[in-house]
Amino acid sequence: MYSPAQKRGKKLPPPQKIKVICRVRPFLAEELYDDTVMVEGNCVKITNKRKTNENFVYSFHSCYGMDAGQPEIFENDVKPLLEPVLNGKNATIFAYGVTGSGKTYTIQGTETRPGIIPRTVQTLFEIKGLSKYSLDLRLSYIEIYKEVINDLLVPRDTAPSGGLTIRQGFDNQIYLPNLTEKKINTYEEFKKIFRGACRNRSTAATKLNIMSSRSHADMCIYISCTNNETKNTIFSKLHLIDLAGSEDNRRTENGKERIAESGAINKSLFALNQVVEALNQGLSRIPYRDSKLTRLLQDSLGGENISMMIINISPGQSFYADTYNTLNFATRTKEIENKPQSNHCASSTRQPLKVKLVNENNDLPEARRQRFNLSSSTSTISSTASYELRPPLLSKTEMEKIIETKLDEKLSEIEDKIKTQSSQILSPIFRKQNAKLKKRIESLEYKIELQKESRLANVLTPETKTKTARALVALAKAHELKNELGEALSNYESAFQYIPDNQKLGNKIIMIRDAIPTSSEEINNLNAGSKISAKDHHSRYLANIANDERRKIAEAMILSIVNSGDVKQILKLKGVGKKRADVIHQFIKENGHISEIYNLRYSGMSDKIIDGIINSYTQL
Ligand SMILES: Nc1ncnc2c1ncn2[C@@H]1O[C@H](COP(=O)(O)OP(=O)(O)OP(=O)(O)O)[C@@H](O)[C@H]1O
């Protein structure tokens, strides 16, 4: 079954580098268009958030933009790998990206837009039809769910509890005792097996992706290829892997169970990251043993085998942090270019509120809804997806005005609704002068204000965000000069919604928060003092502000400390010792900055430690 070149004793050539290609999925119907992520030739460009007149440019072996169809990727980058596989090389193709970025779409596909797995199997059957070769194809399909390996070719209720174990045999080959391997004779037969296996995969709805894959799924095709003329038989295997999405628990609003899943997912993705790094740096020790996933791929990733990583990217500003981290994971080399400042370019990339995605066959919405749910009818693999963006109808300023007006309308509607509802419920209580509930309303109003800002911040152009933030900072400074620290703080915090990367501002907020007494004793002591309104405001804010907002602010503050790269500051974080602070410092030095708090995992921190740091801030 294995490549003869891998037999024991044979000196292996230096490990092959992993070929990396990138695919940016189109905007989904509910997403707003922006030009944060662009594909140009073999490069992906993203705006540098800190200097908006610059782009970060990442180059890959190939890049596929929003309009690239399934056949294009298969023909250009996957099909060429089949020849060496038929000549005895093992190969691994895996899709990496955050949840909802299109990994499953790329690897598995939908019924009308089949992905790499069905296209590969169909091509192998086409090759089988050629008289020169006689092909014997078998397949296994497993998932790794929370570090447990499940056989997807057997029904869940008959699968061994505790999952399958990994063994290393003679010739250093990796195998799983009791793993089901099914021989496939026709493409139709494959579809039936595949359909059943896909249903067995652990999926659960998260906020970001209604059909989010919660496990790594590995379809392994075992190929025995006999040359009919020479009667030589060559064995090889091809892993086609749909990795689980790395994700931010905060954004996905995950519960306890989902957070445990994410912990396992991120741990194994981190291990994979280390293996890819080690292989691409040509290191002699490759840390395969750090996770089930990498252990399983030990005989197929590296060595003389062929590996290809597909980086899946979700477009748009709202995935910026994920995109930045994914791209940095995929390639350590990024270039910086100045953005062309042409007006024509700027206006041609801005779009009206909702962009309509037009598909040749008008079946994109269905494709989006469906997973690969193969029906008994034959599906053809010839359709080419093509999504066109509508040309802009309005100028940049006009569009921005419309966005702001629409947002204002919507927010006032919500605001009115909340106020009416609150006053209806609370009017009798108000008559009783219930101070506690009055406070609650005030905090609701404060919350609406913050939400308003954060929503606006999401849709404004970088220039407008900077301008708004500047105005708020000026206002905050004026209050600060008058020693109205509570007012100053709330203005600084509002400004922070528009420029969350501004480390100086983050530090300022920490300083002012520290400067304002919060305990009732301290506040009582100051009752007669001139700063009472500020204290009152702040204690009310701390007492009533919703947890998630507190958390958001805490995270922004922690990130500003981490991103300063200053070991002295980092050491002040709870649970961070010298060793960890050095790792973080090094990480920031190499990667620029961390945009999401849970990405601190990449510096070796556990979720528990990260949560501990956040808690220490939310409980200030
Ligand atoms: N290239 C594409 N063209 C059209 N639709 C796409 C494309 N890529 C992804 N989509 C759609 O985007 C949504 C999310 O994609 P998909 O489920 O493949 O993401 P994923 O990365 O596998 O997510 P998860 O890790 O949560 O499983 C799906 O509805 C899918 O149909």
Side-chain angles (χ1 to χ4, degrees), residues 23-28 65-66 68-70 73 96-107 110 113 201 203-204 206 208-215 242-247 312 314 364-371 385 387:
R23 182 180 201 182
V24 180
R25 74 153 163 79
F27 283 94
L28 302 180
M66 300 179 194
Q70 304 278 52
I73 295 182
Y96 179 97
V98 294
T99 194
S101 57
K103 300 179 296 296
T104 309
Y105 183 89
T106 302
I107 294 288
T110 65
R113 309 236 172 261
R201 194 172 170 197
T203 57
T206 64
L208 288 187
N209 186 357
I210 193 100
M211 282 292 287
S212 177
S213 317
R214 312 296 305 148
S215 60
D242 175 14
L243 294 171
S246 56
E247 61 187 27
N312 285 96
S314 298
L364 179 63
E366 201 208 344
R368 243 186 250 120
R369 275 194 302 275
Q370 271 180 354
R371 280 268 154 168
Y387 310 105

Side-chain angles (χ1 to χ4, degrees), residues 3 41 62 133 166 323 401 415 428 443 459 497 506 518 522 542 569:
S3 158
S62 331
Y133 298 105
I166 302 176
T323 301
K401 246 201 163 105
E415 222 169 335
S443 109
V459 291
Q497 306 281 336
T518 52
E522 281 173 305
L542 273 186
Q569 292 277 337

Side-chain angles (χ1 to χ4, degrees), residues 197-237:
C198 288
R199 268 197 236 109
N200 283 335
R201 194 172 170 197
S202 301
T203 57
T206 64
K207 191 187 161 208
L208 288 187
N209 186 357
I210 193 100
M211 282 292 287
S212 177
S213 317
R214 312 296 305 148
S215 60
H216 307 302
D218 176 13
M219 157 80 66
C220 187
I221 305 171
Y222 305 90
I223 303 159
S224 141
C225 177
T226 306
N227 185 320
N228 290 338
E229 287 161 16
T230 62
K231 299 292 172 211
N232 270 351
T233 300
I234 294 174
F235 302 100
S236 54
K237 57 183 177 178

